[in-house]
Amino acid sequence: MKPPDKKLNTNRPTSRPADQWEDSAEEIWPSYSKQDIEALKALNPRLFTNSRSWYVILMQIGITLVLSFFFFIFVGSPDNSVYTYSALVGGSIGFLPSTLFLLRLELAKASNKNKSAGTYLSALVSGELLKIVLTVLLFIAFAIKLPDLKWVPLLVAYVVTLKCYLLAWFWK
């Protein structure tokens, strides 16, 4: 039995010798000069700003306060201040490490005289490590020091403050 004739897809990339990969990379990924980047910044400067990071932190603080107020108003128990305080603690665990992470990146950007990508990348990785360690330490410290915290408002406030990053993507 003879297999049916199929048309070959000629749009597929074919295998190339190793010396041709350098030429093809330039075709696929264009390189921009400093003048090109400055022209792109002039066309749409909003894409090149970092001020959104601080807006995310402010939004996290605002949502923490709104959730704390929500738990203060709508919890019908006589100890609603514990729920309010728990929501404040959960939101704080959400935005304090993020603030330190952002400060770490701002310091790296300000002190990086030669503008090498490696030093900024190391600041990014060390800042993220600092953020993770501080988050874990804050959870442990608040659990040990304040055993009367209510975990539901704490975790709700923590998760909602983390979702502010998702809102920042939609705003862009």
Side-chain angles (χ1 to χ4, degrees):
M1 183 188 236
K2 184 178 171 185
D5 290 334
K6 292 183 181 179
K7 285 193 167 191
L8 293 175
N9 185 0
T10 57
N11 294 332
R12 288 189 329 199
T14 58
S15 62
R16 299 178 184 185
D19 60 340
Q20 289 183 355
W21 281 106
E22 294 296 323
D23 296 334
S24 66
E26 290 176 9
E27 296 168 6
I28 296 172
W29 304 105
S31 61
Y32 294 106
S33 66
K34 186 172 183 171
Q35 292 82 16
D36 294 337
I37 296 296
E38 294 299 325
L40 286 172
K41 281 183 184 179
L43 285 175
N44 198 350
R46 189 171 161 228
L47 293 176
F48 292 91
T49 61
N50 288 337
S51 62
R52 285 206 178 117
S53 305
W54 290 109
Y55 288 131
V56 170
I57 300 294
L58 290 176
M59 187 171 44
Q60 287 177 329
I61 293 170
I63 284 179
T64 299
L65 294 175
V66 167
L67 280 172
S68 300
F69 183 71
F70 173 80
F71 281 112
F72 181 75
I73 296 295
F74 292 110
V75 172
S77 69
D79 60 343
N80 62 356
S81 63
V82 174
Y83 286 91
T84 304
Y85 186 71
S86 298
L88 280 172
V89 167
S92 298
I93 292 173
F95 73 79
L96 285 177
S98 300
T99 305
L100 288 177
F101 173 71
L102 187 57
L103 285 173
R104 172 73 177 112
L105 290 183
E106 293 291 329
L107 286 173
K109 191 187 321 177
S111 67
N112 193 3
K113 302 282 189 261
N114 59 358
K115 303 286 184 193
S116 73
T119 55
Y120 193 72
L121 180 64
S122 68
L124 182 79
V125 170
S126 65
E128 191 64 37
L129 180 67
L130 173 74
K131 184 178 169 181
I132 291 168
V133 168
L134 185 62
T135 301
V136 170
L137 288 177
L138 284 173
F139 269 116
I140 292 170
F142 279 120
I144 291 172
K145 289 290 186 182
L146 301 169
D148 61 335
L149 284 176
K150 303 295 181 187
W151 283 94
V152 171
L154 185 139
L155 291 175
V156 165
Y158 175 71
V159 168
V160 169
T161 56
L162 290 183
K163 294 303 171 188
C164 290
Y165 295 116
L166 185 64
L167 291 175
W169 280 99
F170 289 128
W171 284 347
K172 188 172 184 177

